[in-house]
Each structure stands twice: as C-alpha cells, then as structure tokens.
Amino acid sequence: MEKERTGTCRSPSQVGRGGDALAGLLSPQDFMEEAGRFLSQAEPNAWCIAAIDILHFRMFKKLYGREMAEGFLEQIAEHLEEVRREYGGAAGYFQRNDFCVILPWRMELVEGLWERIAGEISQIGKAISVMPVFGVSPIDDPRLSPEAHFDRATLALDQATARRPIAFYDPGMERELEEETNLLSEVTGALARDEFTFYVQPQCDITSGKVVGAESLVRWNHTEKGLIPPGKFIPVLERCGAVYLLDQQVWEKVCRWLRSWIDRGYEPVPISINISRIDIMAMDVPAYLKGLLEKYGLPARYIKAEITESACTEEELAINEMVDRLRQEGFLVMMDDFGSGYSSLNMLKSIPVDVLKIDMRFWRSRRRTSRRASASWSPS
C-alpha cells in the first residue's frame, strides 16, 4: 500500500469537461480535441503521451500551505508549456495535481521533464516521498483516439511508485486490468455469500509471556481455492473504495466471536481491528462500532482500533475527530506501521493515539543512525 493516490475504480477514458486553467494549459476536453488534431498528422512511435501525478501532494500542501502548493502546480505547468512550445504536442491540466503532455518519444526528454519537476520540490524544501510520477505510453498508432492513448498512459501511471517513478505502458497491463475487474466481481460475490472470515494473531507481553491481546487477520475462504491471503484481494477493494464493506463484515464477526467466548464463561482478550482511510471517508466509524457493541452487549475495552500512519497523514482532520470520539467511547486507539512513511513525532501531538506499533524499518534506521553517531564521536 505504498501509494496514496485516490483509490477508486475509474475509467481513464471518462475525462471530465471541467478543469481550472493553469498557466495556459488545456482543460481535459480541449486537450483531447487538440491531441486528436495533432495525432492525425503524427508519425507512428515519434511521440508519447505522459500522464503525470504527484505522490503525496496533500502532504506537500499540509507541510507548505495552499499558496506554496498552488505555486508548485504553476511551476509544473510552466515546464509543460516550455516542452510544448519547443517541440509541439499538447499539454493539459486535469484538476488537482494531475497533468498530461504529448512530447517526442525520446527517453532523455521524458527523464529530463521528470527531473525538472522533481527539482522544483527539492528547491522548496525537504518533503519526504513527495515526488512526480509518470505513466508513459508511446503513440505507436496515431489512428487510435487520444482517449485510448490516455487510457494506456494512466494504466502505466498506476504502476508508478516512489521507487520507480516513471512507468511505461505494456500490453500486459490490459490483461491485468481485465483480471482485476474479474476478481472484483468475484470478491463482490464472495461478500454477498459471506465467504470471508478472520483469524487471530496473539499479542504477548514480552516480560511475562502471557497473551494480552490479539489482532484480527482477514482471510477469504474460497469455495474452490481454499483460504486466500489478503494480499490477493485487499488491494483491489482499496483501489475501488469498497474495502469498507469487507471491514464491516470482519468487525461484526469479531464482535460475535467475543460474545461467544463471554457466553461460554471465558474472559476474552481485546481484539484489534483495522480501520482504513476509506472506512473513515465512507462511514461514521465511531457510530458504527458503537452500534456493534450495543448489538452484542460488549464493553469497548474488548476492541482496539488500529489506524495506519499513512491514513493519518492523508486525512488528519477526519482522523483527529474519529480518534477523539473513539477514545470518548472507551476504545483503545493504536497507530499501526509507525515509521513506515512520514515518521514524525510531531504527528502524535495532534493525533493522540494510545499505542504505537513501530515498523521494523523505523527501528532499524534509528539503530543505524545511532551507530553512525557513536562511530563519529570523539572526545574534545
């Protein structure tokens, strides 16, 4: 879950007619019209189309403010306009932090444009993981519509990451998209058939060795393939904004399971459940969980709410409100994967969680920093 771009199942060809003007760039509709005229006279494989996004742009805006963020977008627009004026093609602004440009299909030009945009970020300041990402598709058949070429570029863009910020279209991506669409349909059916279950992973006190809690781990109990791990289906649900439907089922099953233990005379340990950014945007999480507690007659101490660090950085205001309300209702709130992303202790001042689950990468990096500091020290 490295990316933080909006996780919705969109059809790239469904380009809106809107789009605020930005440094003279074309709106989506005007871009497609201009691209159609240009490509009608283009030679095959002489040009490419690049869909451009900025990873973690909302974090950039939060760090430096709206005015600085808008100025950054203007600088990107100026770079795209410079490319258009020098080589031809077309350049468009597709709202928020999304751009598209047609430029000569030469690798040094694509990389040079990426470096210029990335350089604007480094000049403003240190913004960890904020960077441009490109999805590039060579225009091998100018007879195809501009929307079709844009589709290909956005398919490639979905593969771009911080480690590989420039991704290129491959026909295999079409097959992957078709497979993902089929999987989504299958997952939707599995939700209706109640095929998802959960397992619990014990959490132990390292001093006493006693089990003091557990974490719920979802599994798909497929009728033909058996148990399927979450890595096979969670990303699909996240990208389509439907993961909250699965989370609702899992949360209820956890509460039902806790109730069954109490009814048999046992004192269960608290179970942690995962709360995603999509959950927070799709529903009133505290009210939903409170309703489950009332339905199964459970005190809030039996449920621990886990939110990821990346969700906190993306939706801080919504997270703050949710965390406050959960704690008021008696839930224990945990931050999962702390240190895997922005790793700022200042974040904890505004998001008062009860427990931190520290990512091992954070721990290893701090140990390396500590060793370097010790090795370089000498008495004065």
Side-chain angles (χ1 to χ4, degrees), residues 176-355:
E176 291 176 3
L177 179 62
E178 183 177 355
E179 291 172 0
E180 182 171 299
T181 302
N182 293 335
L183 178 60
L184 177 62
S185 176
E186 195 173 355
V187 169
T188 304
L191 283 169
R193 295 188 296 271
D194 198 26
E195 292 181 2
F196 292 95
T197 186
F198 75 95
Y199 284 71
V200 290
Q201 178 174 287
Q203 297 168 334
C204 300
D205 185 320
I206 59 174
T207 57
S208 66
K210 292 183 178 179
V211 176
V212 294
E215 179 179 359
S216 59
L217 303 173
V218 65
R219 294 292 185 271
W220 180 2
N221 192 10
H222 197 283
T223 54
E224 298 176 359
K225 301 175 184 177
L227 287 177
I228 300 177
K232 298 292 185 180
F233 56 87
I234 291 290
V236 175
L237 289 172
E238 288 180 331
R239 283 193 289 271
C240 295
V243 72
Y244 75 97
L245 297 172
L246 173 61
D247 287 338
Q248 287 178 340
Q249 281 197 6
V250 172
W251 298 347
E252 177 147 11
K253 290 181 184 226
V254 168
C255 290
R256 188 184 305 144
W257 189 71
L258 287 166
R259 182 71 258 170
S260 70
W261 275 73
I262 294 172
D263 291 343
R264 284 178 286 170
Y266 298 105
E267 176 67 20
V269 295
I271 306 293
S272 65
I273 59 172
N274 293 305
I275 299 175
S276 71
R277 178 181 62 87
I278 296 172
D279 293 329
I280 299 165
M281 297 298 102
M283 60 178 155
D284 186 336
V285 172
Y288 190 86
L289 291 177
K290 183 179 179 182
L292 287 178
L293 295 183
E294 292 174 352
K295 179 178 179 179
Y296 291 97
L298 297 173
R301 69 175 183 273
Y302 286 137
I303 298 293
K304 298 183 289 186
E306 285 195 22
I307 54 178
T308 62
E309 181 193 13
S310 60
C312 293
T313 56
E314 280 290 291
E315 308 290 349
E316 185 175 329
L317 292 178
I319 289 285
N320 284 346
E321 179 186 359
M322 184 198 70
V323 168
D324 288 341
R325 290 175 59 198
L326 286 174
R327 297 181 77 205
Q328 289 170 8
E329 295 292 342
F331 293 97
L332 186 80
V333 181
M334 310 168 69
M335 184 183 292
D336 195 12
D337 296 332
F338 182 79
S340 62
Y342 300 103
S343 312
S344 173
L345 292 175
N346 290 328
M347 181 195 308
L348 303 181
K349 296 179 181 179
S350 58
I351 305 177
V353 297
D354 300 295
V355 178

Side-chain angles (χ1 to χ4, degrees), residues 15 34-35 64 68 97 104 137 175 194 205 220 226 258 306 330:
V15 182
E34 178 64 23
Y64 298 108
M68 185 72 78
N97 49 289
S137 177
R175 293 190 296 273
D194 198 26
D205 185 320
W220 180 2
L258 287 166
E306 285 195 22

